[in-house]
Amino acid sequence: MEKNSKIYIAGHRGMVGSAIHRYLIGKGFNNFLLRTSAELDLRNQLAVNNFFETEKPEYVFLAAAKVGGIISNNTYRADFIYENTMIQSNIIHASYVTKVNKLLFLGSSCIYPKLAPQPMSEDLLLTGPLEYTNEPYAIAKIAGIKMCDAYREQYGCNFISVMPTNLYGPNDNYDLQNAHVLPSLLRKFHEAKINNIPAVTVWGTGSPLREFLHADDLASASCFLMEKYDAAGLVNIGTGTDLTIAALASMIKEVVEYEGAIVYDHTKPDGTPRKLLDVSKLHDLGWKHTIELRDGITAVYNSYKLEN
Ligand code: GFB
């Protein structure tokens, strides 16, 4: 990518897209194509085709998606599969038609089988049944990976797929029903602290293991791969370490300086027991994360306090 290459970031107001935008601005890139969902409905093929024909982006970061935590994925099952397959199909196909130089598609670690051996390497894709709560989202993301590979094979398009682990960072969703665990717990502990509530409820058993990556690290890895990786298949993006939800809750409790108790709501689902990514492919390519979890949570909490 040249500094003045025309770069379309689909989903630039979301946590991932905004992190990629910030990262590229910091590196001196200056020619961005950005559209809000009100300006361009990515589920509408005609609108997407017109946009690509008119604007002719050179590079595309496909970070637009319908995302959410475990309850959101499980509740809005139709919306997750419909919106994600539409958005990515429209953008990938329009990128082929208008001869985009390179496209980077962002997936998710939930594409791997529910009971995959840990840590999960890229070759475990499609080797077993998926976790039920996020199956529609995972199927959409798997379709995206396979589309990128098919367009590469049939038409020679340079489309690559990257699979981030669970993410957190600026512009996250803090809606208690629909958000992911990390922002939800930050908000719950913060509100319990300022309102002197004696206990915070954590969903499930606390025993599932999760890996967390700061969105700024994801942006750095994505831009690194946009420059360096030109092959089929997928590349995992994570830290290579995980912790239990109970340990995460304790860490957030400490960062927030909340003095009360933690209780577990066993009526809520645990989801996949563990999903730790094998990041050796990414490390071998030359990239490693820089933001450790406690530091990242502290930074996010400091911003959250200022905004709430
Ligand atoms: O982050 P999360 O919603 O998504 O939940 P997944 C992770 C774990 O934290 C689950 C527990 O075991 C939850 O039961 N948890 C505890 C909570 N307290 C809370 C809470 O207050 N809110 C939430 N949300 N969880 C999603 C997938 O799976 O991860 C998506 O559904 C996507 O498709 C995303 O892959 C990254 O890690 O279970």
Side-chain angles (χ1 to χ4, degrees):
M1 285 188 297
E2 303 298 325
K3 298 296 182 205
N4 63 351
S5 296
K6 203 167 191 183
I7 300 170
Y8 173 44
I9 304 172
H12 74 284
R13 295 226 283 210
M15 180 171 69
V16 170
S18 63
I20 291 172
H21 190 205
R22 273 196 310 279
Y23 183 85
L24 288 171
I25 289 172
K27 295 286 173 194
F29 292 89
N30 54 45
N31 190 5
F32 296 103
L33 256 179
L34 308 168
R35 294 288 184 279
T36 64
S37 52
E39 290 163 344
L40 175 60
D41 180 353
L42 294 171
R43 297 165 302 184
N44 179 331
Q45 188 179 22
L46 191 58
V48 172
N49 287 348
N50 287 340
F51 168 72
F52 272 77
E53 290 289 356
T54 309
E55 299 293 347
K56 296 232 171 359
E58 294 172 90
Y59 294 87
V60 174
F61 287 88
L62 209 179
K66 179 169 179 60
V67 299
I70 190 165
I71 295 290
S72 178
N73 268 262
N74 200 22
T75 306
Y76 306 107
R77 299 178 71 83
D79 298 349
F80 270 82
I81 193 160
Y82 169 71
E83 295 194 23
N84 286 308
T85 49
M86 291 299 284
I87 291 168
Q88 69 203 31
S89 299
N90 290 341
I91 293 178
I92 291 169
H93 188 71
S95 295
Y96 149 63
V97 171
T98 61
K99 300 187 171 56
V100 162
N101 288 353
K102 189 164 179 181
L103 173 145
L104 178 140
F105 170 66
L106 284 130
S108 160
S109 60
C110 70
I111 55 143
Y112 292 112
K114 173 178 181 147
L115 300 177
Q118 306 287 319
M120 304 180 296
S121 55
E122 288 84 356
D123 57 8
L124 291 173
L125 181 66
L126 291 173
T127 55
L130 299 162
E131 154 65 22
Y132 176 78
T133 54
N134 60 33
E135 190 180 60
Y137 179 70
I139 293 277
K141 291 295 184 183
I142 292 169
I145 298 167
K146 292 298 175 187
M147 265 187 97
C148 288
D149 285 352
Y151 279 69
R152 172 180 294 277
E153 284 166 30
Q154 186 178 343
Y155 297 123
C157 299
N158 195 1
F159 296 168
I160 64 168
S161 299
V162 304
M163 297 303 121
T165 193
N166 288 35
L167 302 168
Y168 67 98
N171 299 322
D172 209 343
N173 172 11
Y174 285 88
D175 176 278
L176 289 180
Q177 262 313 103
N178 294 315
H180 290 103
V181 59
L182 198 154
S184 297
L185 291 186
L186 253 188
R187 177 172 169 185
K188 285 186 197 175
F189 280 109
H190 175 72
E191 291 182 352
K193 180 186 168 181
I194 58 176
N195 297 315
N196 289 314
I197 295 168
V200 164
T201 302
V202 174
W203 295 352
T205 61
S207 64
L209 286 143
R210 293 291 184 273
E211 175 188 13
F212 296 93
L213 180 75
H214 194 283
D216 288 348
D217 268 337
L218 173 72
S220 154
S222 299
C223 295
F224 172 84
L225 292 168
M226 189 62 131
E227 302 277 16
K228 296 249 165 36
Y229 187 78
D230 297 309
L234 48 158
V235 184
N236 290 337
I237 305 180
T239 63
T241 50
D242 59 0
L243 76 175
T244 63
I245 295 300
L248 175 76
S250 298
M251 190 182 281
I252 296 176
K253 181 181 167 190
E254 282 171 25
V255 169
V256 172
E257 296 178 339
Y258 171 67
E259 305 281 330
I262 296 176
V263 293
Y264 289 91
D265 176 357
H266 289 229
T267 67
K268 292 286 195 300
D270 269 345
T272 307
R274 190 177 190 194
K275 46 176 175 176
L276 177 63
L277 291 176
D278 179 340
V279 286
S280 45
K281 184 171 177 179
L282 183 60
H283 285 182
D284 290 348
L285 286 164
W287 187 92
K288 196 175 179 304
H289 75 285
T290 58
I291 305 172
E292 296 305 333
L293 183 57
R294 186 180 290 269
D295 299 335
I297 292 175
T298 304
V300 164
Y301 182 51
N302 287 338
S303 313
Y304 181 84
K305 272 190 295 190
L306 292 176
E307 290 159 13
N308 292 277

